[in-house]
Amino acid sequence: MVPLEPQEKVLLSTDFLSTTHGELACESCHGGDAVSMDKSSAHTEMDPQPSINNPRKACGECHEEIVEAAGDSLHATLAPFTKVLQKRATMDNWEHVDEARKNHCASCHTSCGGCHVSRPQSAEKGFVNGHTFQKRSDPLNQCTACHGSRVGFEFYGQRGRGDVHAKAGMDCVACHGAREMHAAAPQYLQGRYDLDQMTRCTDCHENLRFGSVREHAVHIGKVQCQVCHSQTYVNCYSCHVGKDSEGMAFFQNSREVESMKIGLNDDDRAPGAGYRYMLVRHVPSDPEMFDFYGKDGFANFGKVPTWKRTSPHNIQRRTWQAATCNNCHGNRDLFLSETDLLDYEKEANSKVAVSDGMLPKAVTKTRKLSIDTSKVRTNMVVDANWLHENLEDKQLVVIDARDSAAYDKGHIEGAISLDPLTAGLRSGADAEKPFTLEEHSKVAEFFSRKGIAASDHIVVYDQKASTAPALLAFLEWAGATRVSYLSGGVEGWHLGGFHTVSEPTTREAHAFGGTVQPAFIVDSDTVAKLSEKPDTVVVDIRLIDRTLGLTKHELAGRAGAIPGSINVPFGAFYMENGFLKSPTELLWMLETYGITPDKTVITTCDTGIAAADGFFILRYLGFPDVRVHDEAWVNWSRTR
Amino acid sequence: MKGSSGLFVVVLAGLLAGGLASTAWATDTSSCVTCHLDKEMLTRNLSGTTARKSAMQSGQG
């Protein structure tokens, strides 16, 4: 979601004025003084969010039935969430738990305006489309503005491969229509999955049990669809809330872990949920989360599981856990176990954890996967322990590829700072061809000044793999022969128990001396020519919304994608914090897209950085012919 | 007959003028619309009013 400037948030479009709602007087919904030209008096008693504060008057006069029902909808009341808090609290301490709920959790609710006019309140508001009312909610500015990290990121490929429904051009409303969104939630509703109007996979995918897929016939009724068709997802731990010295409310999530866990279905009463196994996601709750408002708020913490049924929005037809029977059957790591539980949550999850006896047994007769990992260049990726043990090596150069502010705050001892986005390795945004690599002599000279030699063993790290793999690609192009990525980056370093320092490091300048590898970089003309060949694949590393043309880079000539390109979002390669997935899984995944080492692979994106990231990963996986389209979509779209 | 027809035309003209005036009032003469269509003025008035969140906040919501 692109941030809006304050004036953009309240700027009307002239188109709005000719709509049905635009013909109404502003004050009929918002109040205030519509005659005054003085800002202060014009806004006196003005209600910026009438659909939240007075929906019956603002919307109900015309949309009476919808407003009446939607007033009790899950979006309006968040009722199941309150029920969970009530179960965990006691009558004695409910008062301060409820105060915390109101201050920190209740602002997430929304009403008519947050879905049809503006960005929701909890997403810092702002008109969508100049206050023009939209029958269909905007997935990028409205739905995922709130449902971001656990839905939007997964759906559009910021984490994982994205969702097959997103790739097919389906938006949120395609599944979650008005029938479900406007539905009044009954008082007795225990959770959102209990809502009769809740959409289900089987609403569209009918009669699977009797279809042509053998696995459906075997598994339907026993496992939730997502168990086989989701990818890994993020789990949050130990959210704590409070107010700072200025009285501003805040929350702090202590840990985010990407994983996948299958648990036992502890409540099969929900419609369509008669299965035994389901995916569970860790919720950020812990017994002390509301302690700012009073101790022992959750005296009954053990009454509600902290590993809850989940329906990740990252559905794929083929997934790693279902690639072969024994990726799931007998795979203890995939099933929630006692050892996954923290001390304070053992009781809460006793009905959800899968005991050894409940673990589906490994299958003896099954098709084995045939993934050739012999070509993987294993030395191109190192972990924190390896780096710690080798830090004193004189041939080792460690580069921090984050911005200088992050470096100054704390970096791995001995690391030099080099942010590829600002170092001058590429042309600027105003150049005739923005963001393309500079001449080799200039880049090599820059590395020389930094004290980097092409023959050094160069280890690069960052945070969340945003720039380090790209810098490694640029180094390889310039002629470096031993380059490695620190998997997990600076977070992995910390998780390994190692410290960072703030004292900066510089190296004495000496000749870089590399031999350029011109074949690693291709321009748009070459991409156009090569993409005609059957043995060439163009891999677009951008998010799904970009490739669908829903959004575009500000410097791009238009939205869209290179014809024939295959979209593999950057997040597909990583777990949280830039930990690379296993080579076996990555090679398997690429094969599902038809991206195999026997082909020439060209990586592309908006500005060349993600493309260079992808280039590095494919090189690591042993692909012999990989090229970076550094002109990328920004330049391609200006001339084609 | 002629007189009542003239009266009808006058009444109709009055109704039309009233209708047009009320529509125009919502869009043209409302200070809300005047100001909220003026990007430059909104920029001047709202510069520096960035949304704030606590510096202590961390993690995904």
Side-chain angles (χ1 to χ4, degrees), chain B residues 28-58:
Chain B
D28 292 344
T29 61
S30 158
S31 67
C32 319
V33 171
T34 306
C35 293
H36 283 265
L37 283 173
D38 187 341
K39 190 173 183 180
E40 282 182 21
M41 195 205 64
L42 289 172
T43 306
R44 279 198 306 277
N45 277 343
L46 295 170
S47 62
T49 56
T50 51
R52 294 174 68 216
K53 72 175 180 186
S54 173
M56 293 183 72
Q57 185 144 309
S58 65

Side-chain angles (χ1 to χ4, degrees), chain A residues 436-452:
Chain A
T436 50
L437 266 172
E438 296 287 1
E439 293 291 319
H440 178 257
S441 57
K442 195 175 171 185
V443 173
E445 189 191 327
F446 177 83
F447 289 146
S448 298
R449 284 201 306 275
K450 281 284 184 180
I452 304 167

Side-chain angles (χ1 to χ4, degrees), chain A residues 184-340:
Chain A
Q187 287 291 322
Y188 57 80
L189 200 78
Q190 293 299 308
R192 61 195 163 99
Y193 291 104
D194 297 340
L195 190 71
D196 280 336
Q197 293 86 348
M198 173 72 75
T199 193
R200 294 182 182 83
C201 309
T202 49
D203 292 348
C204 288
H205 302 278
E206 296 174 308
N207 299 321
L208 293 176
R209 189 191 290 272
F210 308 107
S212 59
V213 180
R214 179 182 167 272
E215 284 77 8
H216 283 156
V218 173
H219 292 92
I220 283 177
K222 296 176 189 168
V223 301
Q224 178 200 28
C225 304
Q226 288 86 346
V227 167
C228 294
H229 290 290
S230 289
Q231 303 162 69
T232 52
Y233 44 86
V234 75
N235 300 273
C236 297
Y237 285 82
S238 293
C239 181
H240 285 74
V241 303
K243 286 187 175 179
D244 64 17
S245 55
E246 295 177 63
M248 292 181 73
F250 67 85
F251 64 81
Q252 295 175 328
N253 257 330
S254 70
R255 201 156 63 102
E256 290 160 20
V257 180
E258 188 173 337
S259 70
M260 172 179 284
K261 291 290 174 187
I262 300 170
L264 294 177
N265 185 1
D266 63 326
D267 177 12
D268 58 5
R269 289 169 303 173
Y275 39 75
R276 178 180 290 179
Y277 298 100
M278 62 183 186
L279 286 188
V280 287
R281 192 193 297 254
H282 197 272
V283 294
S285 184
D286 92 7
E288 295 169 354
M289 74 181 296
F290 291 154
D291 271 13
F292 178 84
Y293 292 89
K295 297 284 180 197
D296 301 324
F298 288 151
N300 294 325
F301 192 76
K303 287 199 168 180
V304 186
T306 50
W307 285 92
K308 287 187 62 183
R309 183 203 315 263
T310 187
S311 46
H313 284 63
N314 54 15
I315 298 301
Q316 290 288 327
R317 195 169 70 83
R318 298 177 66 187
T319 58
W320 179 235
Q321 73 275 17
T324 180
C325 300
N326 290 336
N327 274 14
C328 179
H329 284 253
N331 182 358
R332 182 66 264 186
D333 285 346
L334 194 57
F335 290 80
L336 187 71
S337 72
E338 278 281 323
T339 56
D340 292 318

Side-chain angles (χ1 to χ4, degrees), chain A residues 539-605:
Chain A
V539 182
D540 191 331
I541 310 285
R542 297 177 300 165
L543 302 183
I544 293 173
D545 52 287
R546 280 280 208 265
T547 61
L548 289 178
L550 301 175
T551 59
K552 79 170 189 72
H553 190 280
E554 58 188 358
L555 295 181
R558 60 188 165 84
I562 294 176
S565 57
I566 296 172
N567 177 221
V568 184
F570 180 59
F573 300 103
Y574 295 94
M575 300 295 277
E576 83 279 11
N577 295 322
F579 282 104
L580 260 175
K581 290 180 179 171
S582 77
T584 317
E585 181 177 349
L586 290 175
L587 285 164
W588 172 85
M589 175 195 74
L590 290 167
E591 195 181 317
T592 66
Y593 290 101
I595 304 166
T596 46
D598 58 318
K599 291 176 179 154
T600 295
V601 183
I602 300 169
T603 57
T604 190
C605 63

